[in-house]
Amino acid sequence: NAGVTQTPKFRVLKTGQSMTLLCAQDMNHEYMYWYRQDPGMGLRLIHYSVGEGTTAKGEVPDGYNVSRLKKQNFLLGLESAAPSQTSVYFCASSSAIFYGYTFGSGTRLTVV
Amino acid sequence: KQEVTQIPAALSVPEGENLVLNCSFTDSAIYNLQWFRQDPGKGLTSLLLIQSSQREQTSGRLNASLDKSSGRSTLYIAASQPGDSATYLCASTGTASKLTFGTGTRLQVTL
């Protein structure tokens, strides 16, 4: 099925560990995004990409890095995880500014 | 900076009622306005997308309106059903197609 796939779905990290979240889309979308969702704060944009090889900072980029080496993949990295990064992470993609988004099912990350 | 507000934060209605969810935004320079549904522990499902030049969109029992000049959008749900219970999120689209989300309205439809 066409869509946005996130891996892993769940992860528990210890403070200071690193990890990479993978987002893959098979719809040939140009734009890709990483959001985090926290209770009472809604979804906030971490980083985004407007095409292969491009990345840009969103609203809450600190502590995260991203890469988009291939058009279909958008990776979110945590170099040194902190408890404040405990959240649900959503990846999304869009073909153009006038079209809607497709979201992945999310990654629930807990940092202890 | 765009700010999106949704009122009410939570709503409980009996089955069969028609209801309205409200969304307001501070910057009218938007490309479009989207409504999403989120079930507990799940991702977001797109419901309706209203372009900035449009006034409303309809899908089944759902109707969304957009008034850019007043910075408001509403989601109307007709003849509500228990299966409509979920959190409803609105989001405005700005430059680079970035979304700014409201914090959502948690809807419960009771039997």
Side-chain angles (χ1 to χ4, degrees):
Chain A
N1 293 333
V4 177
T5 302
Q6 291 183 233
T7 53
K9 296 191 183 308
F10 303 93
R11 185 73 185 268
V12 178
L13 283 180
K14 293 183 179 179
T15 298
Q17 286 185 321
S18 64
M19 79 164 294
T20 300
L21 283 66
L22 171 63
C23 176
Q25 54 95 4
D26 58 5
M27 297 169 286
N28 202 35
H29 284 174
E30 288 294 333
Y31 300 101
M32 296 187 74
Y33 309 83
W34 278 106
Y35 289 86
R36 60 178 288 174
Q37 185 175 34
D38 302 290
M41 304 197 71
L43 282 94
R44 294 176 293 169
L45 181 63
I46 306 171
H47 285 282
Y48 65 100
S49 169
V50 298
E52 181 178 312
T54 75
T55 62
K57 294 181 180 179
E59 183 183 355
V60 288
D62 293 342
Y64 305 95
N65 57 75
V66 288
S67 64
R68 186 139 180 231
L69 300 179
K70 294 183 179 180
K71 187 177 184 178
Q72 63 269 32
N73 296 335
F74 195 30
L75 279 65
L76 178 70
L78 287 73
E79 291 186 347
S80 180
S84 61
Q85 294 178 304
T86 293
S87 187
V88 181
Y89 292 86
F90 287 102
C91 176
S93 70
S94 175
S95 60
I97 201 164
F98 294 109
Y99 297 92
Y101 270 44
T102 300
F103 275 83
S105 58
T107 295
R108 188 172 297 273
L109 175 66
T110 302
V111 182
V112 297
Chain B
K1 177 186 173 185
Q2 177 75 283
E3 293 184 3
V4 179
T5 303
Q6 291 187 246
I7 295 174
L11 181 64
S12 181
V13 300
E15 181 180 14
E17 271 204 9
N18 303 325
L19 59 102
V20 175
L21 307 181
N22 296 296
C23 173
S24 61
F25 46 95
T26 56
D27 186 352
S28 62
I30 63 173
Y31 290 97
N32 54 52
L33 192 291
Q34 301 184 54
W35 284 92
F36 296 88
R37 169 184 172 138
Q38 186 176 29
D39 293 291
K42 304 293 185 181
L44 280 71
T45 301
S46 180
L47 297 174
L48 290 166
L49 169 68
I50 313 174
Q51 301 296 350
S52 61
S53 59
Q54 297 175 321
R55 298 286 286 184
E56 64 179 308
Q57 280 285 335
T58 298
S59 176
R61 294 182 294 107
L62 304 180
N63 175 275
S65 67
L66 175 64
D67 184 343
K68 275 185 58 177
S69 61
S70 66
R72 297 185 182 211
S73 176
T74 62
L75 179 66
Y76 175 83
I77 303 176
S80 58
Q81 304 171 356
D84 294 330
S85 298
T87 296
Y88 291 81
L89 297 161
C90 71
S92 66
T93 305
T95 57
S97 202
K98 292 180 289 182
L99 289 178
T100 301
F101 282 88
T103 52
T105 294
R106 188 169 61 254
L107 172 66
Q108 183 175 9
V109 181
T110 58
L111 292 171

